[in-house]
Amino acid sequence: MPSTHIEPPPQPTVAPHQGHGTARLDAFIGQRQGKATWQVQARPAYHDIHDVEAGYQRGAGIQFLRIEFSQTAGEHIKLERMNFVDITSLTPYESLLGSKSWRVRASIARLDAQKEADRKAMAARRLFWDISGGPGRAIELKADRTAIAYALIDNQAWIDWRNPTQGASIGTGLALGLVLDSENRRLRLIPEIYAHRYVGALSADYGGKLDARFSLDKAHNLKLQCDWKSYRSQHIDKSCLLGLQRYW
């Protein structure tokens, strides 16, 4: 019988144990609503879509217990966000296998008040439960695997920490984005736009964000993150932060 040669499965260029550390500490400075601000973020595990992919699954991210503290000029130090779980899976579509993409997050986060008078109050940015996620589709745009486009259904539930019965909003929307890598994979850009409609205390919002990460070495990144959100054609939240990330 003629011998049959079977190609071995492709091996990753970087073994899983040789990737970046799973814990990360971030320190940022920048501006929020035109005021100077600083922010510190920390997570014990594991990997997010902004991290260098070497040693990890492409297009995937899973984080647990990521916490953010910030202080804006004239205000006290505040808990900005606590992510209990944050999972992203962007699997480029294949005609044979299908390959679904999805995202889900459960956290508590601060949300700006909708009325101008409330936004001027110190307590305007209250803590809400933030539960979001949904399915979608991702496609590979380039043969060298440096560009992914994605579209995700973005279901949202915001529940006021202090007034859960009257301060709740449930809605849905769409998020569109790109994951762009340089050829050497040291630079990654992720621009995203989104829009939502709600039933409840909120009516609608739309906005966008840009995340840019440059890998300095295996343990350090430079990171730029800019966000803006509009409610009924009025900008209610905008920020831009630059900082350093440290893995261990």
Side-chain angles (χ1 to χ4, degrees):
M1 293 179 63
S3 61
T4 301
H5 176 69
I6 300 177
E7 292 290 338
Q11 297 298 314
T13 56
V14 177
H17 68 279
Q18 295 177 327
H20 64 74
T22 57
R24 197 183 72 202
L25 180 67
D26 308 345
F28 293 95
I29 58 172
Q31 64 84 27
R32 184 178 182 282
Q33 304 294 68
K35 297 181 180 180
T37 188
W38 61 262
Q39 187 175 104
V40 173
Q41 305 177 12
R43 70 147 198 246
Y46 166 64
H47 171 78
D48 73 28
I49 196 171
H50 306 97
D51 293 331
V52 176
E53 284 185 344
Y56 293 83
Q57 182 177 342
R58 176 165 167 74
I62 179 168
Q63 297 186 93
F64 297 102
L65 302 178
R66 183 168 68 88
I67 192 167
E68 302 176 13
F69 288 95
S70 69
Q71 184 178 27
T72 301
E75 300 182 10
H76 300 295
I77 297 175
K78 295 178 180 178
L79 170 64
E80 193 70 25
R81 177 180 288 274
M82 174 70 178
N83 279 5
F84 299 104
V85 63
D86 190 343
I87 303 173
T88 300
S89 178
L90 300 179
T91 305
Y93 179 78
E94 296 180 3
S95 57
L96 181 62
L97 301 177
S99 304
K100 296 179 180 178
S101 296
W102 55 281
R103 180 166 64 186
V104 64
R105 180 179 65 206
S107 65
I108 54 174
R110 292 197 180 273
L111 183 68
D112 281 77
Q114 301 171 27
K115 297 179 181 179
E116 182 67 26
D118 292 338
R119 291 202 297 272
K120 293 180 180 179
M122 288 296 291
R125 302 186 66 243
R126 300 194 303 273
L127 283 172
F128 281 69
W129 286 101
D130 170 21
I131 302 171
S132 62
R137 178 71 58 87
I139 58 173
E140 199 82 63
L141 297 180
K142 300 180 67 176
D144 61 359
R145 293 165 58 89
T146 57
I148 295 176
Y150 63 88
L152 297 170
I153 301 299
D154 200 21
N155 302 309
Q156 299 271 325
W158 289 91
I159 304 172
D160 194 328
W161 182 273
R162 298 183 303 177
N163 188 11
T165 57
Q166 297 182 11
S169 298
I170 297 175
T172 190
L174 184 65
L176 305 173
L178 296 168
V179 181
L180 305 172
D181 289 312
S182 62
E183 291 185 3
N184 62 9
R185 301 305 197 270
R186 296 185 69 182
L187 175 65
R188 169 164 286 191
L189 302 176
I190 305 183
E192 179 178 298
I193 57 174
Y194 59 83
H196 308 103
R197 294 285 297 182
Y198 299 94
V199 174
L202 296 175
S203 175
D205 65 34
Y206 63 90
K209 54 186 177 180
L210 172 66
D211 288 277
R213 181 267 302 151
F214 182 79
S215 175
L216 299 174
D217 55 42
K218 183 178 175 180
H220 300 88
N221 297 329
L222 287 177
K223 179 74 179 295
L224 173 71
Q225 56 184 47
C226 297
D227 302 84
W228 65 271
K229 181 186 287 187
S230 182
Y231 171 75
R232 290 183 178 177
S233 300
Q234 296 181 5
H235 290 289
I236 62 171
D237 193 8
K238 49 189 176 181
S239 67
C240 203
L241 302 171
L242 177 66
L244 181 69
Q245 299 178 313
R246 169 74 163 90
Y247 301 98
W248 72 93

